[in-house]
Amino acid sequence: MTEHPSTNTADAPFWETTALEDMTTTQWESLCDGCGRCCLSKLEDIDTGAIAFTCVSCVLLDTKTARCSDYPNRFKRVPDCLAITPEMARTSPWLPPTCAYKRLAEGRGLAWWHPLVSGDPNTVMLAGVSAATRVVSEEEVEVDDLERFIVNWPDEDVDEAGEGSV
């Protein structure tokens, strides 16, 4: 009996066959779609633990492209910058629902707009997932004013049809 091509793991992409912990650094890094949502300031309600996203970005995030302007040195320059780990992907409430790491940790697979699926890094923008042009740098905002910048879009998911859903 011949195995159906869609069930042949040799033909499946690495993110469907490799556990998060077993990915190479190159595989892991390629999962980031570059949306910039994880680089936004978030506020946590001390009583409920609820996370509120803002449209205020890390000082290193290029607000036009949603790419880190100094990725190799980000941990030196921004002490509270975090490297996402498999454990964080499974447990962190501050990762947006569109995050590839979170999606894979939840067993949802990569979305149609992810560059590894679409073959085009621009689909992140086309799908409305990117933070590019929708954010302001933390350099321009007083920390005490963060509540004025709370927005809902970073916590919205984009379903397989390409439409936002909450």
Side-chain angles (χ1 to χ4, degrees), residues 124-154:
V124 178
M125 285 285 290
L126 295 172
V129 177
S130 179
T133 72
R134 303 167 83 177
V135 298
V136 60
S137 175
E138 65 186 2
E139 292 179 312
E140 302 173 40
V141 176
E142 294 293 325
V143 175
D144 294 341
D145 289 340
L146 277 179
E147 288 183 357
R148 292 185 327 118
F149 293 89
I150 291 174
V151 291
N152 291 328
W153 61 264

Side-chain angles (χ1 to χ4, degrees), residues 14-62:
F14 76 87
W15 60 88
E16 292 179 0
T17 61
T18 309
L20 295 177
E21 289 82 4
D22 296 334
M23 290 184 182
T24 65
T25 301
T26 301
Q27 289 172 329
W28 182 260
E29 291 283 326
S30 73
L31 291 178
C32 177
D33 59 39
C35 73
R37 289 182 182 204
C38 66
C39 300
L40 302 179
S41 294
K42 297 142 197 89
L43 300 172
E44 182 177 1
D45 185 302
I46 198 161
D47 296 323
T48 67
I51 302 293
F53 284 84
T54 73
C55 62
V56 177
S57 72
C58 168
V59 66
L60 293 181
L61 191 75
D62 181 320

Side-chain angles (χ1 to χ4, degrees), residues 52-133:
F53 284 84
T54 73
C55 62
V56 177
S57 72
C58 168
V59 66
L60 293 181
L61 191 75
D62 181 320
T63 60
K64 292 180 178 67
T65 65
R67 294 306 226 173
C68 184
S69 63
D70 194 8
Y71 190 78
N73 299 305
R74 67 193 184 281
F75 301 123
K76 292 178 195 158
R77 295 194 49 202
V78 180
D80 59 349
C81 181
L82 299 172
I84 298 172
T85 65
E87 181 62 23
M88 290 169 76
R90 290 182 186 92
T91 62
S92 295
W94 55 265
L95 283 174
T98 54
C99 176
Y101 302 110
K102 184 173 187 167
R103 289 179 62 94
L104 292 177
E106 294 173 345
R108 294 191 293 146
L110 297 183
W112 66 270
W113 46 262
H114 193 286
L116 289 174
V117 176
S118 70
D120 181 358
N122 293 319
T123 53
V124 178
M125 285 285 290
L126 295 172
V129 177
S130 179
T133 72

